[in-house]
Amino acid sequence: MNTPNTGATQYPAKTSAETYIDADSHTKLYQQSLASPDEFWAEQAKRVDWIRTPSIIKNCSFAKDNLSIRWFEDGQLNASVNCLDRHLETHGEQLALIWEPDSEADAVRKFTYRQLHNAVCKLANGLKSLGVAKGDVVTLYMPMIPEATIAMLACARIGAVHSVVFGGFSPEALAGRIQDGQSKLVITADAGKRGGKRVNLKANVDEAITLCQPACVENVLVVNHCGETIALNAPRDIDYQTLVRNQSSECPAEIMDAEDPLFILYTSGSTGKPKGAVHTTGGYLVYTSLSHHWVFDYNPGEIYWCMADIGWITGHSYAVYGPLSNAATTVMYEGVPNFPDAGRLARIIDKHQVNILYTAPTVIRALMACSDEALANTSRQSLRLLGTAGEPINPEAWTWFYEKFGHSQCPILDTWWQTETGGMMITPLPGAIDLKPGSATLPFFGINAVLVDNDGQLLTGAAEGNLLISDSWPAQMRTIFGDHQRFIETYFSTFEGYYFSSDGARRDEDGYYWITGRVDDVLNVSGHRMGTAELESALAAHPLVAEAAVVGFPHSIKGEGIYAYITLTDKQAETETLRTELKQWLRKEIGPIAVADIIQWTDDLPKTRSGKIMRRILRKIAADDFDNLGDLSTLADPGVVARLIETHSNLK
Ligand code: ATP
Ligand code: MG
């Protein structure tokens, strides 16, 4: 196994001592959370303000024919009140949101908790005046601007269910999601800016609406963000400013049952048709608030920046609901981390004196590939904690992030979780859990992670297998919108009595988890099982490799062969000599069984808008199966597919 560290290391942490939990208390509390979930979660639920305190805590069963996931079910609350109103007395004048624009020349926008509260109430009243009521699904197709957060919280305030669709999606992808949720209202902007480019959101909405048959959208609310002159198609289209201008800044919040839906969010689509994950109010809020508090060890006054777009679950849980429920000061950035150059991310950190940064491996790898530029003329001394999510982080990238970016002073929190889980599931807690580069470490409170083999046999001790969760946790998704049967089949049928994550993991002798990738990304080469994550991180450890993606392809002798798509840091190095060297390298790093049969150079990989490699497309190309590539609508750059097919064909 390609693991630089065998033992756990206590990485130094620049922290304040108050909220830190030590290793012993952590172990005790974790055990208590599994042994007495009712007691544990009743206590944790106190961090949320309830209109009616729940007396029933957990009512859950994972039995396939009797599935029930209900938390705090007789409790009542409102999520927007928890993120805003309850902070007004003590934190009203504190900043809730610092917005950094795409262009460094444009002005920063800031909102105190009181200003954010006012903006949310005005929009909530505006939505009501349009006839939006509790239970209605509102689609948000927004750039990363404060109005996106405001719109989410305004929906939550009146009990409308928001369905945020990432602003980079195509009109077709947007139409599918509007249609699935039967949204009567879409909130958008004239355009968004990313890396100096305009994204014409309103034009995409217009096109999407023509694709929705039968028609469901009655109104489109448009934020004038870029000052574009766009045609407002009255009476359907409404200008945001005009709507909110004369609304009252007081809006009584809807009383929501804990199990009332808070939002629908479609999974990122790296494996198939996106699923509308439904999350409910009480359990989700308790869990995201608690995990944000513990994992980021958030201290009052600190500046917290989660880079995820609000179109992803990370943006929901850890850019909006988690941090705002904890009265944090958050940073929101409109653009991309390497615009106008790779130093932008570090400059934003210095500019706003960011203490806690939460990002993704794809960002870290991109910056590492131009390390000097990424670090130039910045100190990054304000940083205290660094987090990542979304993909396995290879030890190479982990180490660069830790040593170079964070000056060996900031623990790295590699958090494993999913759209479906609502919040972090396997994650370090700074100060309590020692780190190992490349491992997401240990399960969070209340999470009973287990490994089973393909026959469903429970594996104990150090082992590798399918990663399952044996009991419910409060932030778990409750259903797939409109398709409860698919929910049961996808998550509770493969291994009965368990939630199946579809990910594989290895557990080492210390009980640490190492995510090996999706189960269908595990290769079987001559009877040996290998996770793509392991092969990829071995390849990425070579100094000339910027990024690698590995898939299996049908091989007449081995069953499955290893096919590697590789992006180099220097295109000039794309030679036969290096190809041979990399094959030797993999053999040396992993073992003689890991022989790369084919290496294809590529400038780019097919990635979802959230930056994840879509291996199913790479698998099809490797297998010469170009006709069934499936849904490409969630790709960041669909053009990459044709380029890959062309190089692949020339390779043979
Ligand atoms: P879809 O389910 O539509 O195919 P997706 O799985 O990419 O899309 P998400 O819910 O955004 O959608 O991502 C969750 C997945 O991301 C996990 O199942 C896992 O494969 C991967 N992942 C997330 N965090 C980590 C991590 N820290 N380490 C390893 N893998 C991770
Ligand atoms: Mg998934």
Side-chain angles (χ1 to χ4, degrees):
M1 177 68 200
N2 175 43
T3 310
N5 284 49
T6 42
T9 312
Q10 177 61 71
Y11 287 86
K14 268 204 295 185
T15 53
S16 66
E18 301 114 62
T19 56
Y20 259 23
I21 175 167
D22 62 30
D24 286 348
S25 336
H26 168 259
T27 311
K28 260 187 233 138
L29 200 56
Y30 176 68
Q31 281 159 357
Q32 190 220 325
S33 74
L34 295 194
S36 331
D38 281 313
E39 212 175 292
F40 177 82
W41 287 110
E43 184 60 30
Q44 303 308 326
K46 291 180 187 158
R47 62 182 303 109
V48 160
D49 277 5
W50 297 88
I51 298 164
R52 186 169 77 206
T53 308
S55 68
I56 307 168
I57 304 302
K58 178 170 181 263
N59 179 3
C60 303
S61 151
F62 278 0
K64 191 181 157 191
D65 41 19
N66 180 30
L67 188 77
S68 153
I69 305 168
R70 303 185 67 79
W71 284 88
F72 313 117
E73 59 187 296
D74 61 342
Q76 292 183 319
L77 75 168
N78 182 285
S80 102
V81 168
N82 272 283
C83 291
L84 300 167
D85 307 49
R86 67 166 173 162
H87 306 317
L88 292 182
E89 201 176 314
T90 45
H91 298 88
E93 312 323 314
Q94 181 203 300
L95 288 179
L97 183 61
I98 302 171
W99 179 78
E100 168 75 19
D102 186 55
S103 160
E104 282 168 299
D106 289 347
V108 169
R109 292 170 68 191
K110 294 181 178 176
F111 289 75
T112 62
Y113 270 94
R114 193 171 311 283
Q115 289 164 334
L116 194 61
H117 175 265
N118 284 357
V120 167
C121 287
K122 279 172 168 273
L123 178 59
N125 285 324
L127 295 181
K128 282 207 240 177
S129 75
L130 295 177
V132 180
K134 181 173 177 176
D136 288 346
V137 177
V138 175
T139 299
L140 272 53
Y141 183 65
M142 305 278 282
M144 283 290 280
I145 54 175
E147 285 75 10
T149 305
I150 292 167
M152 286 168 76
L153 293 174
C155 287
R157 192 155 194 99
I158 62 171
V161 179
H162 57 71
S163 167
V164 183
V165 178
F166 174 58
F169 277 153
S170 64
E172 292 76 21
L174 172 62
R177 288 156 171 80
I178 293 176
Q179 192 81 6
D180 194 48
Q182 286 296 302
S183 292
K184 288 190 293 185
L185 176 70
V186 178
I187 308 181
T188 189
D190 53 348
K193 296 178 203 167
R194 279 171 69 82
K197 298 194 196 92
R198 289 284 161 98
V199 187
N200 293 318
L201 297 171
K202 173 59 167 55
N204 287 354
V205 171
D206 288 342
E207 198 182 328
I209 288 177
T210 63
L211 298 173
C212 289
Q213 297 299 336
C216 54
V217 176
E218 292 168 10
N219 288 116
V220 179
L221 190 57
V222 188
V223 178
N224 182 343
H225 171 55
C226 295
E228 304 262 308
T229 18
I230 45 158
L232 285 188
N233 174 356
R236 188 196 70 184
D237 299 347
I238 296 159
D239 174 66
Y240 182 101
Q241 278 310 324
T242 312
L243 178 76
V244 299
R245 190 171 299 133
N246 297 321
Q247 301 291 342
S248 156
S249 55
E250 288 298 327
C251 174
E254 196 71 36
I255 298 174
M256 303 300 283
D257 286 339
E259 285 297 341
D260 281 337
L262 179 62
F263 65 86
I264 303 171
L265 183 63
Y266 293 83
T267 56
S268 69
S270 43
T271 51
K273 182 179 181 286
K275 306 174 268 288
V278 175
H279 283 284
T280 58
T281 311
Y284 175 81
L285 199 66
V286 169
Y287 194 91
T288 51
S289 176
L290 182 74
S291 49
H292 173 266
H293 170 79
W294 279 110
V295 175
F296 294 115
D297 179 40
Y298 185 79
N299 287 278
E302 286 190 311
I303 311 290
Y304 165 87
W305 181 17
C306 166
M307 281 178 59
D309 192 282
I310 49 119
W312 309 120
I313 189 68
T314 312
H316 282 57
S317 302
Y318 299 109
V320 178
Y321 290 108
L324 296 180
S325 70
N326 291 333
T329 297
T330 64
V331 174
M332 178 187 224
Y333 173 41
E334 179 177 26
V336 294
N338 52 1
F339 173 78
D341 58 73
R344 181 67 187 278
L345 188 139
R347 288 200 295 279
I348 297 175
I349 290 169
D350 281 5
K351 177 174 175 183
H352 298 298
Q353 289 293 292
V354 171
N355 307 111
I356 303 165
L357 176 72
Y358 193 27
T359 184
T362 175
V363 172
I364 301 167
R365 283 193 295 264
L367 298 184
M368 185 174 76
C370 24
S371 179
D372 291 345
E373 190 179 285
L375 306 175
N377 305 319
T378 53
S379 95
R380 306 175 307 288
Q381 283 297 342
S382 57
L383 286 173
R384 185 169 75 74
L385 290 171
L386 296 168
T388 91
E391 276 191 299
I393 176 167
N394 46 307
E396 194 74 2
W398 195 105
T399 308
W400 178 84
F401 201 38
Y402 179 76
E403 288 177 358
K404 296 290 187 327
F405 200 85
H407 304 289
S408 302
Q409 287 173 330
C410 311
I412 299 211
L413 313 164
D414 174 4
T415 61
W416 173 81
W417 58 295
Q418 310 177 297
T419 307
E420 295 89 338
T421 69
M424 298 157 174
M425 300 290 281
I426 301 185
T427 171
L429 294 186
I433 299 176
D434 293 347
L435 306 175
K436 300 188 192 189
S439 169
T441 73
L442 302 173
F444 189 69
F445 299 112
I447 303 303
N448 197 355
V450 299
L451 296 179
V452 299
D453 66 16
N454 288 342
D455 302 322
Q457 290 300 314
L458 216 54
L459 303 170
T460 53
E464 182 171 337
N466 300 290
L467 177 57
L468 316 181
I469 311 295
S470 69
D471 202 355
S472 185
W473 62 100
Q476 177 168 27
M477 91 190 248
R478 303 300 197 255
T479 188
I480 292 177
F481 189 74
D483 199 349
H484 195 61
Q485 200 50 37
R486 186 177 175 207
F487 177 61
I488 298 171
E489 272 153 28
T490 310
Y491 304 105
F492 301 95
S493 301
T494 321
F495 301 101
E496 278 188 38
Y498 294 96
Y499 168 81
F500 178 34
S501 71
S502 299
D503 282 343
R506 186 172 69 84
R507 187 171 50 221
D508 70 16
E509 46 297 331
D510 296 322
Y512 277 46
Y513 287 85
W514 303 73
I515 308 299
T516 49
R518 294 162 207 282
V519 173
D520 55 2
D521 287 339
V522 172
L523 313 188
N524 192 334
V525 183
S526 310
H528 297 269
R529 288 167 56 79
M530 276 176 268
T532 50
E534 186 180 0
L535 296 165
E536 286 163 8
S537 70
L539 285 167
H542 188 284
L544 283 170
V545 174
E547 191 156 43
V550 172
V551 294
F553 71 103
H555 190 286
S556 52
I557 299 159
K558 305 180 197 172
E560 220 169 1
I562 296 177
Y563 194 116
Y565 297 83
I566 292 179
T567 310
L568 298 176
T569 51
D570 173 11
K571 210 172 154 45
Q572 304 299 321
E574 287 180 5
T575 60
E576 278 312 306
T577 327
L578 183 64
R579 214 188 286 269
T580 316
E581 185 184 320
L582 285 173
K583 288 184 180 176
Q584 288 302 327
W585 172 271
L586 202 58
R587 208 184 142 87
K588 182 178 99 297
E589 294 281 305
I590 306 276
I593 187 68
V595 177
D597 298 278
I598 302 178
I599 289 181
Q600 175 174 341
W601 309 125
T602 176
D603 293 340
D604 216 344
L605 291 164
K607 289 190 181 163
T608 61
R609 298 278 178 170
S610 56
K612 293 181 201 213
I613 300 167
M614 254 203 219
R615 288 190 189 71
R616 72 178 162 82
I617 293 173
L618 296 174
R619 265 200 300 272
K620 297 263 183 191
I621 296 175
D624 294 323
D625 181 8
F626 312 135
D627 299 331
N628 304 303
L629 294 174
D631 182 8
L632 303 183
S633 67
T634 61
L635 274 181
D637 169 16
V640 69
V641 178
R643 296 198 291 278
L644 281 166
I645 293 178
E646 197 188 326
T647 346
H648 166 84
S649 305
N650 294 338
L651 205 63
K652 299 223 137 170

